[in-house]
Amino acid sequence: MRWAPHALVLEKSPRKPSLGATPEYLKGYYYIQGLASMLPAYALRPSSSDIVLDMAAAPGGKTTQLAQLMKNSGLIVAIEKRRDRMRSLMSNVNRMGVKNTVLLRAESSIVSKLDLKFSKIILDAPCSGEGLIAKDPSRRTKTTPEHLKRFQGIQINLLTHAIAALDEGGKLIYSTCSIAPEENEAVIDFAIENLGLKTLPLDLGVGNPGLREFRGVSFHSSIENCRRLYPHLHGTEGFFLCLLSR
């Protein structure tokens, strides 16, 4: 895949064994995830000298990809608050042979107590998952405006904590598997106007620009730097990402 150089696209697979039960999978030779989910790590471009924060790390796809791009050097602090999801994160980090990562089971607000500044931060925020309608058709109707408002509050809160931990000149990638502007452009617009962040261009080779307007609400012009992916246009899950700096 041209814009995901480490990806192999599986067009057809046998029923048995499943992709998650092969010896190669158990030995950590590959990780199963959607193509769009690989973009945040590529956009962040971490190096082996970076100190990276993964704020909502489970199940570990982005954490292990970051470790690969960093050549298992530098430092990744991966945070996950739920015990059940931490198990999957630990399993994948160990299975993939990751050695440069510290796992913390805690609320993301703990970053303000770590006395540590991060050069790169990845926030794959909790969201409604509207971009996964192709896989789960029930998402067409089960998400209400109240759900979007609640997720937006969570996303803004996480961004606020992330900024407090971001070093001067550092970069933060914000992403969701949602196509709802309420969880994407509206959150980035708030970050620009109220949190002092600015967007940076993304040269990913895929995706449409962020929306400048939605239902009569206008967003900051620089939100065009963000990228949207759609199943019918890009052959991926619905996805949004934006690269930010202080």
Side-chain angles (χ1 to χ4, degrees):
M1 176 61 67
R2 176 177 54 83
W3 48 267
H6 298 93
L8 295 174
V9 178
L10 187 68
E11 297 181 353
K12 186 178 180 180
S13 65
R15 292 186 177 181
K16 293 182 180 181
S18 69
L19 287 176
T22 67
E24 292 82 3
Y25 178 84
L26 297 174
K27 290 182 178 181
Y29 292 171
Y30 62 87
Y31 189 98
I32 304 168
Q33 66 183 138
L35 282 171
S37 296
M38 300 183 71
L39 288 173
Y42 286 135
L44 200 58
R45 296 185 178 179
S47 72
S48 57
S49 61
D50 276 320
I51 300 176
V52 181
L53 173 65
D54 188 348
M55 289 189 68
K62 295 174 181 65
T63 307
T64 54
Q65 186 186 359
L66 288 168
Q68 179 185 16
L69 296 176
M70 296 168 68
K71 300 179 181 179
N72 232 351
S73 298
L75 174 65
I76 301 171
V77 177
I79 297 176
E80 175 55 51
K81 72 175 184 178
R82 287 174 47 182
R83 185 183 296 273
D84 56 335
R85 288 175 60 82
M86 176 58 82
R87 293 193 188 100
S88 63
L89 175 60
M90 291 178 62
S91 174
N92 282 314
V93 165
N94 289 327
R95 180 178 63 82
M96 302 293 288
V98 173
K99 299 178 180 179
N100 67 340
T101 300
V102 175
L103 305 183
L104 294 178
R105 189 175 73 82
E107 296 281 350
S108 292
S109 58
I110 197 175
V111 298
S112 61
K113 303 176 183 179
L114 294 179
D115 194 27
L116 187 64
K117 291 291 185 179
F118 297 88
S119 53
K120 304 281 176 68
I121 296 178
I122 187 166
L123 173 54
D124 187 48
C127 69
S128 65
E130 282 195 352
L132 305 176
I133 288 175
K135 297 180 179 178
D136 180 7
S138 70
R139 294 179 186 271
R140 291 178 182 271
T141 56
K142 72 180 184 182
T143 300
T144 66
E146 288 73 24
H147 289 138
L148 294 178
K149 184 177 181 180
R150 179 170 60 85
F151 278 119
Q152 186 185 85
I154 294 170
Q155 292 149 1
I156 289 174
N157 182 56
L158 289 171
L159 257 182
T160 303
H161 287 301
I163 294 161
L166 185 64
D167 205 357
E168 288 293 333
K171 295 179 180 179
L172 183 154
I173 191 80
Y174 173 88
S175 64
T176 72
C177 57
S178 173
I179 55 174
E182 294 90 340
E183 301 181 87
N184 297 319
E185 285 88 352
V187 172
I188 300 302
D189 189 74
F190 180 91
I192 294 170
E193 299 293 344
N194 298 280
L195 303 178
L197 293 182
K198 60 182 180 180
T199 68
L200 298 174
L202 280 170
D203 183 18
L204 297 171
V206 68
N208 288 9
L211 301 178
R212 286 286 307 279
E213 183 270 340
F214 180 71
R215 292 188 175 179
V217 177
S218 297
F219 302 121
H220 194 277
S221 61
S222 68
I223 286 178
E224 288 186 339
N225 285 332
C226 305
R227 284 292 173 268
R228 285 179 154 265
L229 281 82
Y230 300 98
H232 66 291
L233 295 179
H234 307 109
T236 69
E237 62 268 40
F239 207 79
F240 175 91
L241 68 162
C242 192
L243 185 62
L244 300 157
S245 70
R246 297 186 66 175

